[in-house]
Amino acid sequence: MKFGVIVFPGSNCDRDADHAATQVLGQASELIWHKDTDLKGADAVILPGGFAHGDYLRTGAMARFSPIMREVMAFADRGGPVLGICNGFQILLESGLLPGAMLRNRGLKYRCEHVHVRVEQTDTPFTCGAEAGQVLRIPIGHGEGNYFAPPDVLQMLEANRQVVLRYTAPDGQLVDDANPNGSVHAIAGICNERRNVVGMMPHPERACEPALGGVDGLVILESIVKAFATA
Amino acid sequence: MGHPPTPWALRALMRRRADMLGGEGMRRMRARVFVTLKPSVFDPQGRTIADALHSLGYDKVEDVRQGKYFELDLATTEMAQARELAAEVADKLLANPVIESYRIEIAES
């Protein structure tokens, strides 16, 4: 299969995602500039982490209007798998592909550390290789990961099982101390109603080789290949 | 006729138009856009600023909400058009309606 990794001015995890796709997963991958207007035949699209357009105004606010986003939205509409990692998640929120918004972290600090997230849903192209309740140790690095949605939207997310990942203690228990940014319902990742678009704050591409200090992110990336093979 | 103007030609045209509007006593409009977090949304920056003020002894400052302020210089003399334009860009880009609301003031610049 072929990955398409979108490169915005200010993206800084694009090469990592591309490396993970080609060197770790052994798949084809192409970096796609944000001004491009086609996805070069990608079977899955990754919006990588970073600071697209400097994150001026709001995180992801301007990236949403990059020309390639029209193609990404059409791809998502066709059911194509789209993964937004960190800044990519923020872009998905601003573009309306996922509901909600990001606020500054509770405590205002940029948090760069390993966290634990529990896999809540396994019927997405990005978690189908994981077990429900599986706890993954994956790094985060963000200042604006405090997920917010109004109460009615939160209720809808929970009712539709759209919360894909939650911050938990290493044993999978929901405790407030394990929530690094104050996200409502300890949300670390969500999917759309159709379940083909997922946004997550932790970086699976930073935890997919032993040299990186952990391989728990691998299951997220391998899920994409598995989903493609069984589609 | 024929080809549409190139982007640079369009920009030059808009500059000339703006110069014309700006000169000869023609007034332009300035929109002030105040973007704030909705009351229901927690404002960690505002809270931290309030805490800092309390530690400086300003106990009468009960709460702080912080936000963003934009000044838009608009090439129009029509008050209604200026307001409409400012609201459009606020909706589209300046504010995120999920967490923020905005207020617009229009004045001659």
Side-chain angles (χ1 to χ4, degrees), chain A residues 30-63:
Chain A
E30 185 160 349
L31 294 165
I32 301 169
W33 182 233
H34 77 119
K35 283 189 173 170
D36 281 343
T37 49
D38 83 87
L39 292 173
K40 324 259 179 176
D43 301 302
V45 169
I46 295 180
L47 302 184
F51 301 83
H53 296 271
D55 273 352
Y56 296 124
L57 188 61
R58 289 182 312 278
T59 56
M62 301 201 219

Coordinates of all heavy atoms in Angstrom, one line a residue, chain A residues 30-63:
Chain A
E30 N 4.8 8.7 0.1 CA 5.2 10.0 -0.6 C 4.9 11.2 0.2 O 3.8 11.3 0.8 CB 4.5 10.0 -2.0 CG 5.0 11.2 -2.8 CD 4.6 11.0 -4.3 OE1 4.2 9.9 -4.7 OE2 4.8 12.0 -5.0
L31 N 5.9 12.1 0.3 CA 5.6 13.4 0.9 C 4.9 14.3 0.0 O 5.2 14.4 -1.2 CB 6.9 14.0 1.3 CG 7.7 13.3 2.4 CD1 9.2 13.8 2.5 CD2 7.1 13.4 3.8
I32 N 3.8 14.9 0.4 CA 2.9 15.7 -0.4 C 2.8 17.1 0.1 O 2.4 17.3 1.2 CB 1.5 15.0 -0.5 CG1 1.6 13.6 -1.1 CG2 0.6 15.9 -1.4 CD1 0.3 12.8 -0.9
W33 N 3.3 18.0 -0.7 CA 3.4 19.4 -0.3 C 2.0 20.0 -0.2 O 1.1 19.6 -0.9 CB 4.2 20.2 -1.4 CG 4.4 21.7 -1.1 CD1 4.1 22.7 -2.0 CD2 5.0 22.3 0.1 NE1 4.5 23.9 -1.4 CE2 5.0 23.7 -0.2 CE3 5.4 21.8 1.3 CZ2 5.5 24.6 0.8 CZ3 5.9 22.7 2.3 CH2 5.9 24.1 2.0
H34 N 1.8 20.9 0.8 CA 0.4 21.4 1.1 C -0.2 22.1 -0.1 O -1.4 22.3 -0.2 CB 0.5 22.3 2.3 CG 1.0 23.7 2.1 ND1 0.2 24.8 2.3 CD2 2.2 24.1 1.6 CE1 0.9 25.9 2.0 NE2 2.1 25.5 1.6
K35 N 0.6 22.6 -1.0 CA 0.1 23.3 -2.2 C -0.3 22.4 -3.3 O -0.8 22.8 -4.4 CB 1.0 24.4 -2.7 CG 1.0 25.6 -1.8 CD 1.8 26.8 -2.4 CE 1.6 28.0 -1.5 NZ 2.6 29.1 -1.9
D36 N 0.1 21.1 -3.2 CA -0.3 20.1 -4.2 C -1.8 20.0 -4.2 O -2.5 20.3 -3.2 CB 0.4 18.8 -3.9 CG 1.8 18.8 -4.4 OD1 2.2 19.7 -5.2 OD2 2.6 17.9 -3.9
T37 N -2.3 19.5 -5.3 CA -3.8 19.3 -5.4 C -4.2 17.9 -5.8 O -5.3 17.7 -6.2 CB -4.3 20.3 -6.5 OG1 -3.6 20.2 -7.7 CG2 -4.3 21.7 -6.0
D38 N -3.2 17.0 -5.6 CA -3.7 15.6 -5.7 C -2.9 14.7 -4.7 O -1.8 15.1 -4.3 CB -3.7 15.0 -7.1 CG -2.3 14.5 -7.5 OD1 -2.1 13.3 -7.3 OD2 -1.6 15.3 -8.1
L39 N -3.5 13.6 -4.3 CA -2.9 12.8 -3.2 C -2.0 11.7 -3.7 O -1.6 10.8 -3.0 CB -4.0 12.2 -2.3 CG -4.8 13.3 -1.5 CD1 -6.0 12.6 -0.8 CD2 -3.9 13.9 -0.5
K40 N -1.6 11.8 -5.0 CA -0.6 10.9 -5.6 C -0.9 9.5 -5.4 O 0.0 8.7 -5.2 CB 0.8 11.3 -5.1 CG 1.0 12.7 -4.8 CD 1.8 13.4 -5.9 CE 2.0 14.9 -5.6 NZ 2.8 15.6 -6.5
G41 N -2.2 9.1 -5.4 CA -2.5 7.7 -5.3 C -2.4 7.1 -4.0 O -2.3 5.9 -3.8
A42 N -2.3 7.9 -2.9 CA -2.2 7.4 -1.6 C -3.4 6.6 -1.1 O -4.5 6.9 -1.5 CB -1.9 8.5 -0.6
D43 N -3.1 5.5 -0.4 CA -4.2 4.7 0.1 C -4.6 5.1 1.5 O -5.7 4.7 2.0 CB -3.8 3.2 0.1 CG -3.4 2.7 -1.3 OD1 -4.3 2.8 -2.2 OD2 -2.3 2.3 -1.5
A44 N -3.7 5.8 2.2 CA -3.9 6.3 3.5 C -3.2 7.6 3.6 O -2.1 7.8 3.1 CB -3.4 5.3 4.6
V45 N -3.8 8.6 4.3 CA -3.2 9.9 4.4 C -2.8 10.2 5.9 O -3.6 9.9 6.8 CB -4.1 11.0 3.9 CG1 -3.6 12.4 4.2 CG2 -4.3 10.9 2.4
I46 N -1.6 10.7 6.1 CA -1.2 11.1 7.4 C -1.0 12.6 7.4 O -0.3 13.2 6.6 CB 0.1 10.4 7.9 CG1 -0.2 8.9 8.0 CG2 0.6 11.0 9.2 CD1 1.0 8.1 8.4
L47 N -1.7 13.3 8.4 CA -1.4 14.7 8.6 C -0.4 14.7 9.8 O -0.8 14.3 10.9 CB -2.7 15.5 9.0 CG -3.8 15.5 8.0 CD1 -4.9 16.4 8.4 CD2 -3.3 16.0 6.6
P48 N 0.8 15.0 9.6 CA 1.8 14.8 10.6 C 1.9 15.9 11.7 O 1.2 17.0 11.6 CB 3.2 14.8 9.9 CG 2.9 15.8 8.7 CD 1.4 15.6 8.4
G49 N 2.7 15.7 12.7 CA 2.8 16.7 13.8 C 3.7 17.9 13.3 O 4.3 17.8 12.3
G50 N 3.7 18.9 14.2 CA 4.5 20.1 13.9 C 3.8 21.3 14.2 O 3.0 21.3 15.1
F51 N 4.1 22.4 13.5 CA 3.5 23.7 13.7 C 3.1 24.3 12.4 O 3.7 25.2 11.9 CB 4.4 24.6 14.5 CG 4.9 24.0 15.8 CD1 5.9 23.1 15.9 CD2 4.2 24.4 17.0 CE1 6.3 22.6 17.1 CE2 4.6 23.9 18.2 CZ 5.6 23.0 18.3
A52 N 2.1 23.7 11.7 CA 1.7 24.1 10.4 C 1.4 25.6 10.3 O 0.7 26.1 11.2 CB 0.5 23.3 9.9
H53 N 2.0 26.3 9.4 CA 1.9 27.7 9.2 C 2.2 28.4 10.5 O 1.7 29.5 10.8 CB 0.5 28.1 8.8 CG 0.1 27.5 7.4 ND1 0.3 28.2 6.2 CD2 -0.5 26.4 7.0 CE1 -0.1 27.5 5.2 NE2 -0.5 26.4 5.7
G54 N 3.2 27.9 11.3 CA 3.6 28.5 12.5 C 2.6 28.4 13.6 O 2.8 28.9 14.7
D55 N 1.4 27.8 13.3 CA 0.3 27.7 14.3 C -0.1 29.1 14.7 O -0.7 29.3 15.8 CB 0.7 26.9 15.6 CG 0.4 25.4 15.4 OD1 -0.2 25.1 14.3 OD2 0.8 24.6 16.2
Y56 N 0.2 30.1 13.9 CA -0.3 31.5 14.2 C -1.8 31.5 14.2 O -2.5 30.7 13.6 CB 0.2 32.5 13.2 CG 1.7 32.6 13.2 CD1 2.5 32.4 12.0 CD2 2.4 32.8 14.4 CE1 3.9 32.5 12.0 CE2 3.8 32.9 14.4 CZ 4.5 32.7 13.2 OH 5.9 32.8 13.3
L57 N -2.3 32.4 15.0 CA -3.8 32.5 15.2 C -4.3 31.4 16.1 O -4.7 31.7 17.2 CB -4.6 32.6 13.9 CG -6.0 33.0 14.0 CD1 -6.2 34.3 14.6 CD2 -6.7 32.9 12.6
R58 N -4.4 30.2 15.6 CA -4.8 29.1 16.4 C -4.1 27.9 15.8 O -3.8 27.9 14.6 CB -6.3 28.8 16.4 CG -7.2 29.7 17.2 CD -8.6 29.3 17.1 NE -9.1 29.0 15.8 CZ -9.5 29.9 14.9 NH1 -9.5 31.2 15.2 NH2 -9.8 29.5 13.6
T59 N -3.9 26.8 16.5 CA -3.2 25.6 15.9 C -4.1 25.1 14.8 O -5.3 24.9 15.1 CB -3.0 24.5 17.0 OG1 -4.3 24.2 17.6 CG2 -2.0 25.0 18.1
G60 N -3.6 24.9 13.7 CA -4.3 24.3 12.6 C -5.2 25.2 11.8 O -5.8 24.8 10.8
A61 N -5.4 26.4 12.3 CA -6.4 27.3 11.7 C -6.1 27.7 10.3 O -7.0 27.8 9.5 CB -6.5 28.6 12.6
M62 N -4.8 27.9 9.9 CA -4.5 28.3 8.6 C -4.3 27.1 7.7 O -4.6 27.1 6.5 CB -3.3 29.2 8.6 CG -3.7 30.4 9.4 SD -2.6 31.8 9.0 CE -2.4 32.4 10.7
A63 N -3.8 26.0 8.3 CA -3.5 24.8 7.5 C -4.8 24.3 6.9 O -4.8 23.7 5.8 CB -2.9 23.7 8.4

